[in-house]
Amino acid sequence: MYIYLVRHAIAVEHGTPGYKDSDRPLTEEGIERMQKAARGLAHFIDPPDLIVSSPYLRAKQTAEILAVALQSRDGITEWPMLTPASAPTGVFANLNENSSTTNSVMLVGHEPHISRLTALLLGTKSDAIRFKKGAVCALECPAHLVPGCAELQWFLTPKQLRRLA
């Protein structure tokens, strides 16, 4: 199974008056940059079988941009265990549950959760990888996930993805 891990694009700053953390949308700059990065990504990956997002608005908007660029035919699924404060291990059960029907899944989430999840899958220190907003990495994993089971295929910054567009 391939797992693509994505950090949401640039959003309204944390603590901005009038926005709860879960309701912070992407900025115009974030939308434009992510659209271009997603077009770059679409040059070298097929649409994933499943696109999963944190229920937070900025992650859902990022997932929608990716779904359009990748021409995904299926909708976006939300998993509460992709929120920033969730334990990364909570994602394993859902991934294992879907492994028999999916060859590839894209997870759209937040820092530090997405880095911790990546490190857990790779079996490395939790601070070994840091995602910039809009960064994507690809892991190859066996059908049944356990900590340390993944192999890093690639990691691209948003700037690299935009250049591919």
Side-chain angles (χ1 to χ4, degrees):
M1 172 185 349
Y2 272 88
I3 300 175
Y4 302 103
L5 296 122
V6 184
R7 183 179 180 193
H8 68 78
I10 301 167
V12 169
E13 286 294 321
H14 182 67
T16 300
Y19 293 100
K20 293 188 327 187
D21 185 42
S22 60
D23 295 334
R24 291 189 293 125
L26 298 181
T27 63
E28 286 300 318
E29 177 187 18
I31 292 168
E32 290 171 14
R33 285 184 176 197
M34 193 68 224
Q35 286 172 334
K36 192 168 183 180
R39 286 193 305 271
L41 185 62
H43 284 301
F44 67 95
I45 72 165
D46 293 324
D49 297 325
L50 181 63
I51 298 178
V52 184
S53 170
S54 154
Y56 285 20
L57 180 59
R58 58 195 178 274
K60 290 190 297 188
Q61 290 176 318
T62 300
E64 289 165 3
I65 291 168
L66 289 160
V68 168
L70 295 170
Q71 300 178 356
S72 174
R73 292 181 301 263
D74 299 319
I76 296 163
T77 303
E78 290 179 24
W79 287 355
M81 68 283 305
L82 287 173
T83 56
S86 298
T89 52
V91 177
F92 277 61
N94 279 31
L95 286 172
N96 283 329
E97 191 175 295
N98 286 283
S99 66
S100 63
T101 58
T102 58
N103 291 321
S104 60
V105 62
M106 180 172 280
L107 304 175
V108 183
H110 313 266
E111 277 295 289
H113 185 270
I114 208 81
S115 290
R116 290 179 183 155
L117 176 59
T118 303
L120 187 63
L121 286 163
L122 291 171
T124 188
K125 298 184 329 184
S126 64
D127 61 351
I129 294 179
R130 288 283 177 239
F131 283 72
K132 289 186 174 217
K133 292 176 182 169
V136 182
C137 96
L139 305 178
E140 187 171 6
C141 305
H144 183 76
L145 300 176
V146 294
C149 68
E151 182 178 301
L152 179 66
Q153 298 300 301
W154 48 262
F155 184 97
L156 293 170
T157 67
K159 188 174 185 177
Q160 291 169 321
L161 288 166
R162 289 192 303 271
R163 285 185 181 163
L164 291 170

